[in-house]
Amino acid sequence: MITGTGITKTFRQRGGVLGAREVPALRGVDFTIPKCGAVSFIGESGCGKTTLGRIIAGLETYDAGEIVIDGVAMSSLSHRRRQPYFRRIQLIHQDPYSALNPTRTIHQALAAPLALRARQTGRPRSWTDERARELLGLVGLDPDYVLPRYPHQLSGGMRQRVVIARALTVDPEVLVADEAVSMIDVSLRLGVLALLKDLRERLGVSVLFITHDVATARYIGTDGELYVIYRGQVVERGPVETVISAPVHPYTQALLSAIPVLHGLESPGEQRVVPLEASGEHPDGCLFAPRCPFRTERCENERPTLGPAPGQEGGTPQEHACFHPERRSVVAVPVSGR
Ligand SMILES: Nc1ncnc2c1ncn2[C@@H]1O[C@H](COP(=O)(O)OP(=O)(O)OP(=O)(O)O)[C@@H](O)[C@H]1O
Ligand SMILES: [Mg+2]
C-alpha cells in the first residue's frame, strides 16, 4: 500500500517580462493506493495530475509531505535506499512512440531490464528470453512476431502493450498510467484499457489511472476510488460510482455535466453555468470560487479542506472540499466572447 500525506509541489518557472514566477502544482494532496486497487485522478489540464503521478513513481521531488510505501516513510531513507521501493511503481507514459528507443528491437528493449532482473534474483541468462516471451503473451502480443521488430514496425496499441510488458519486467506493485491511451488510435484504446484491467485482476497490480475522462476511470475499476483534482487540490474523492452518481462539489458536477446520459438536463430552469476555463484566484479563498455560481463571501475568504459529504458523516468514504455541497444542476460552458 502507498499513502501520501500533504504532498506539496511548487514549480519555479522562468521567463517573460515579469521574470520568474511560482506555479503551485500540488497543494497538500493526501492519497491512498491500496494493494490491487484502482485509483483514478481526474481534472482539467494543468491541475497537477502528471506531477502527482511522477512524484508517486519517484521521478519528481516534492517540497513538503510524506510518502509511505509498505509502511516505510520515504523521508527516512537516503536517495539510494529509496530506489528499490520506487522501482515497484512503474509509470506508463501517454506517448508510446517516444517511450521506446527506435534503434532497438523489442527483444533488445526487454532483454536489458530482464538481464538485470536475472542477476538480482540469481536466475540463469536463459531465463530472460523465456520471460520476455511470457510477458509479451501476458500483454496479448505474439512473441514471434514482435520480438525481432523495431518500434516503428508496430501499431500504437502494440507499442503501448510493449511498454506495459517492459514495466512488468520488474514485477511492479503499481502501474501509473498517465493518459495511457490518449495518443493511440481510438479503435485500439479499449483493448489497452481492458489489458490494464485484466493485469489488475490476474497479477494483483494496483492501477493508478490519470485521465481527463470519467468514463475511462469508471471502466478501469468500478470498485475503485476517484480523486477529482482542481488546481493542485483534491476537491472531491470517494468510490467511483458514488462520486459519479452523486457528486457534491460544483467542479465535479461541472466535469460530469459533459456526460448527458448520467446527468440529464432534467431541469434546465434551475441550471447554473460554470465557465470551462479557469480565471484568477482568491489568495486565501476557495480555489474554485472565481468560477463557482454558488460562491458566498466565505468562499472568497476561506479555503475549504476535504471533509465528509452531506449525510455521510461517520466513516463515509466520500469527501469533498466545499462549503455548500448539495446536488445541483450544473453545466459547463465556454467563456463568452471567445
Ligand atoms: N517541469 C516543470 N517546470 C515548470 N512547471 C511545470 C513543470 N511540470 C509541470 N509544471 C506546471 O505545473 C502545473 C501542473 O502540471 P501537470 O503537468 O502536472 O498538469 P496535468 O494535470 O498533468 O495537465 P495535463 O492534463 O495537460 O497533462 C502546470 O501549471 C504546469 O505548467
Ligand atoms: Mg499530464
Side-chain angles (χ1 to χ4, degrees), residues 6-203:
I7 303 298
T8 303
K9 173 79 183 180
T10 300
F11 287 108
R12 275 145 209 101
Q13 291 181 344
R14 274 196 245 175
V17 279
L18 299 173
R21 69 183 188 116
E22 303 213 320
V23 178
L26 296 170
R27 316 184 199 223
V29 170
D30 296 348
F31 63 85
T32 301
I33 305 173
K35 282 222 182 308
C36 305
V39 174
S40 299
F41 294 157
I42 66 163
E44 64 200 11
S45 190
C47 72
K49 304 180 296 295
T50 294
T51 305
L52 188 53
R54 286 176 51 80
I55 287 173
I56 294 170
L59 301 171
E60 184 71 77
T61 58
Y62 44 102
D63 305 328
E66 179 69 279
I67 291 186
V68 176
I69 304 179
D70 294 335
V72 181
M74 291 300 106
S75 64
S76 67
L77 301 179
S78 65
H79 178 75
R80 195 173 60 83
R81 293 192 57 204
R82 256 179 243 164
Q83 295 317 305
Y85 288 91
F86 283 122
R87 207 168 292 133
R88 308 205 66 191
I89 305 164
Q90 287 287 311
L91 186 71
I92 317 268
H93 295 271
Q94 73 182 112
D95 183 3
Y97 301 89
S98 63
L100 294 169
N101 185 334
T103 65
R104 295 177 145 230
T105 62
I106 306 309
H107 180 262
Q108 289 169 322
L110 294 178
L114 283 172
L116 183 68
R117 193 83 188 134
R119 271 202 302 281
Q120 284 166 345
T121 53
R123 290 186 169 97
R125 264 202 88 88
S126 58
W127 172 82
T128 60
D129 276 357
E130 252 170 65
R131 183 69 179 149
R133 300 180 76 81
E134 196 181 342
L135 288 176
L136 289 171
L138 200 63
V139 299
L141 295 173
D142 172 3
D144 291 327
Y145 179 81
V146 170
L147 279 169
R149 289 192 155 65
Y150 288 90
H152 74 268
Q153 296 173 307
L154 304 177
S155 72
M158 287 170 123
R159 271 184 252 198
Q160 196 60 304
R161 285 171 192 265
V162 171
V163 172
I164 294 171
R166 190 179 56 181
L168 295 177
T169 58
V170 297
D171 300 321
E173 268 174 44
V174 182
L175 291 177
V176 179
D178 186 357
E179 305 277 6
V181 293
S182 62
M183 288 185 73
I184 58 182
D185 194 272
V186 177
S187 61
L188 303 172
R189 285 184 192 173
L190 194 62
V192 174
L193 288 176
L195 170 64
L196 288 171
K197 195 172 166 170
D198 183 50
L199 290 175
R200 194 187 148 214
E201 283 156 18
R202 280 165 62 188
L203 304 183

Side-chain angles (χ1 to χ4, degrees), residues 225 237-239 307-309 311-319:
E225 285 270 306
R237 60 157 281 270
Q312 295 198 341
E313 290 79 6
T316 166
Q318 190 182 11
E319 293 187 316

